[in-house]
Amino acid sequence: MTATITKPPPAVHRRRADVVPYPVLLTVSAAALVVSTLLATGVGPVGVPAGEVARILAHHLGGGGDTGAAADLIVWRIRFPRVLLGAVVGAGLALAGAVVQGVVRNPVADPYLLGLSHGASVGAVLVLTTGAAVLGALTLPLAAFAGATAAIAVVLVMARHRGRLLPMRLILVGVAFGHLFAGVTSFMLARTDSSAAQQQIIFWMLGGLSGAQWATLPVTASVVVGVGALLMVRARRLNALVLGEEAGAALGINASRLRWYLLILTTLLTGTVVAVSGGIGFVGLIVPHLARMLVGADHRRMLPVTALLGALFLLWADVAARILIAPAELPIGILTAFLGVPFFLLVMRARGLATQENA
């Protein structure tokens, strides 16, 4: 047993100098997020100066009502909740990706690899094609969340082997059922006769924040903050899980139970954000790699940075989606794919070169 844990993978425990001192990085990232929120709220087909945005936000946050001005409507009712939702969704997707990569011990894993996004699409498309609106504006996000929860439940049950969750089996089952759910979604899309519903479904499947509203923001933000705090509490144990079940057992950790716990939290996190934003890819794949490049693979340090970088990334991706083909809007999933694929290839190339140099 001793020989098994005396040489853990260097990606977890190797100490190195940070690219930027950790407290400085956290402070700068948090400040950049605040400034970006202010600037992004003013950017759009109709520009609003940052000073005017700050005045409007201070008025409303101080307890004031609508002023009736056009800028007030644009900032408070349309853009500010959308910007906040983008930051929350970005942080949630990035955190979920970091945890999934640790749980399955695979650097190219993300929440969508487990079928969560495709399951959410089935629930949402079912509502869009049937026109059901039992709970009003909340019907679509709740249906998407229910679909994501059902999808991960099926994947977890099918991935069990003798009462244990095996990482590779989990990935294979997730990929298989993801394709199945995607086929179900495509079938429902093909069966609908409404061109308006088809356009809405396609836009939702590609991801977007145009449906942001104050009614759904508090619930989404509460889930992301709450689950993020619980993940931070388990960050040290997640480090041990990355080393393997033998190393975890030597440290007194029940790897199978911890894996179940983390996957349930990830399901809650991903299902909640996908329900309000649709299928936005690559955030959970790329951002954790960037965080590891800056602060290393210790999840106690990496998770906070991952959340901040994820919020910044999606916030500005949404700004670009709003203005690139204005007055039309580009689905964020298309933009994140264009940004994510080249970045991911560069990261993989750098990791491969580093591995060859260390060999």
Side-chain angles (χ1 to χ4, degrees), residues 240-259:
L241 187 63
V242 174
L243 300 179
E245 295 196 10
E246 294 83 1
L251 298 173
I253 295 174
N254 187 324
S256 181
R257 182 181 302 173
L258 178 60
R259 189 173 285 118

Side-chain angles (χ1 to χ4, degrees), residues 272-295:
T272 301
V273 298
V274 169
V276 296
S277 65
I280 301 175
F282 282 99
V283 179
L285 180 64
I286 297 303
V287 176
H289 282 288
L290 180 59
R292 289 190 191 96
M293 291 169 60
L294 294 174
V295 299

Side-chain angles (χ1 to χ4, degrees), residues 125 128-130 186-195 197-198 201:
V125 172
L128 293 172
T129 53
T130 60
S186 299
F187 174 77
M188 289 191 293
L189 176 62
R191 293 285 296 174
T192 183
D193 296 326
S194 172
S195 59
Q198 289 177 341
I201 290 168

